[in-house]
Amino acid sequence: MTIVRQALGLDIGGTGIKAAVVDLERGELVSERVRLSTPQPATPEAVLETVISIQRQLPLCRVVGCGFPGTFRHGKVIAAPNLDPSWIGRDVKAELRRGLDRKSVSVGNDADAAGLAEMRLGAGRRVAGTVVVVTLGTGIGTAVFRNGALLPGTELGHLELGGQEAELVASARARKDHNWSWERWSRNVGRYLTRLEYLLGVDLFIIGGGASKKGDKFLPHLEDVGCKVVVARMGNLAGIIGAALLVAEKR
Ligand code: BGC
């Protein structure tokens, strides 16, 4: 049995596709990080072409882990709201195996991947109780952990908040699209987190995704949330590192 020490971590997002080679033990990048814009429309063919071009810019890895912004049933995409609808029914693992010419490809939800990285090596390390990692980016992704164990595939970004999907009013994209001030947007994020806290009995929220870089702008406005809220220790890199960690999880 060969021990896998490094993997290509691939974080497919609605706005950007990011990747790097990751040391699986240390959870650290051992190559540069490459980011290309997500093609529009983000059809499977166009996204795969972008992924292949990213792979070419990095040292070749035997194994690949990929965080994908959607949900699966029996390996097939059932929803990917921030990509082209033609992804529905596609087998991401099979597409990547073929496109990247790699036999060993692991795939999981992007927020679950970022959550794994933060729980294993970041802000959630050794934290017991209910921890929810919320990625605020193009959409809202969630990863729910109970005493360190992941409940995979939660989609709490689509919870209704004041008659609208939370993702449409509390994602990082919503702030930009509406040109809201940080304070105005934080009010929505606060309402959203308070609701999750009430429904799930959350002990700690870890905020990842694009917004994690700007914690100082919104964390001070979340004083109504009853539990602790911190930003992802790995920031937006949690997505890449977590994607690589999916390899060890055998997804
Ligand atoms: C998708 C999730 C994803 C999140 C962040 C949502 O629109 O439904 O699966 O985790 O966006 O990319």
Side-chain angles (χ1 to χ4, degrees), residues 78-117:
I78 51 171
N82 295 305
L83 298 179
D84 191 75
S86 54
W87 272 101
I88 303 216
R90 303 290 276 257
D91 182 332
V92 182
K93 203 185 264 195
E95 304 277 1
L96 288 173
R97 271 193 190 135
R98 201 171 325 118
L100 299 177
D101 192 23
R102 303 289 89 187
K103 284 202 192 81
S104 176
V105 176
S106 301
V107 176
N109 172 263
D110 58 348
D112 283 352
L116 281 171

Side-chain angles (χ1 to χ4, degrees), residues 43-195:
T43 58
E45 293 69 27
V47 167
L48 279 170
E49 214 171 284
T50 307
V51 167
I52 292 166
S53 128
I54 290 179
Q55 184 195 33
R56 281 204 202 106
Q57 297 177 46
L58 287 167
L60 193 61
C61 289
R62 215 164 48 79
V63 294
V64 177
C66 170
F68 182 86
T71 44
F72 314 90
R73 187 161 300 141
H74 308 305
K76 303 258 172 74
V77 176
I78 51 171
N82 295 305
L83 298 179
D84 191 75
S86 54
W87 272 101
I88 303 216
R90 303 290 276 257
D91 182 332
V92 182
K93 203 185 264 195
E95 304 277 1
L96 288 173
R97 271 193 190 135
R98 201 171 325 118
L100 299 177
D101 192 23
R102 303 289 89 187
K103 284 202 192 81
S104 176
V105 176
S106 301
V107 176
N109 172 263
D110 58 348
D112 283 352
L116 281 171
E118 283 298 316
M119 291 307 285
R120 304 279 181 267
L121 306 153
R125 195 159 174 228
R126 300 206 186 97
V127 179
T130 300
V131 179
V132 180
V133 178
V134 179
T135 63
L136 302 176
T138 313
I140 294 184
T142 53
V144 176
F145 294 85
R146 179 73 195 159
N147 293 333
L150 171 69
L151 172 67
T154 57
E155 284 287 337
L156 301 171
H158 302 290
L159 202 76
E160 205 180 290
L161 197 66
Q164 266 184 302
E165 266 186 61
E167 171 162 299
L168 301 179
V169 293
S171 61
R173 180 165 68 185
R175 192 186 69 79
K176 288 186 193 135
D177 284 356
H178 293 277
N179 213 3
W180 282 329
S181 68
W182 285 98
E183 197 174 346
R184 165 75 188 78
W185 175 73
S186 306
R187 243 182 284 144
N188 291 354
V189 176
R191 272 168 52 222
Y192 174 57
L193 296 183
T194 304
R195 184 119 189 90

Side-chain angles (χ1 to χ4, degrees), residues 172-244:
R173 180 165 68 185
R175 192 186 69 79
K176 288 186 193 135
D177 284 356
H178 293 277
N179 213 3
W180 282 329
S181 68
W182 285 98
E183 197 174 346
R184 165 75 188 78
W185 175 73
S186 306
R187 243 182 284 144
N188 291 354
V189 176
R191 272 168 52 222
Y192 174 57
L193 296 183
T194 304
R195 184 119 189 90
L196 288 183
E197 182 204 345
Y198 170 70
L199 292 173
L200 299 172
V202 180
D203 296 300
L204 171 68
F205 282 113
I206 301 174
I207 308 296
S212 61
K213 290 178 274 187
K214 303 280 182 168
D216 55 322
K217 305 257 195 230
F218 65 91
L219 289 181
H221 302 298
L222 300 180
E223 68 277 353
D224 288 346
V225 183
C227 67
K228 205 169 158 194
V229 187
V230 297
V231 288
R233 194 166 299 161
M234 296 171 194
N236 210 10
L237 289 183
I240 295 179
I241 296 170

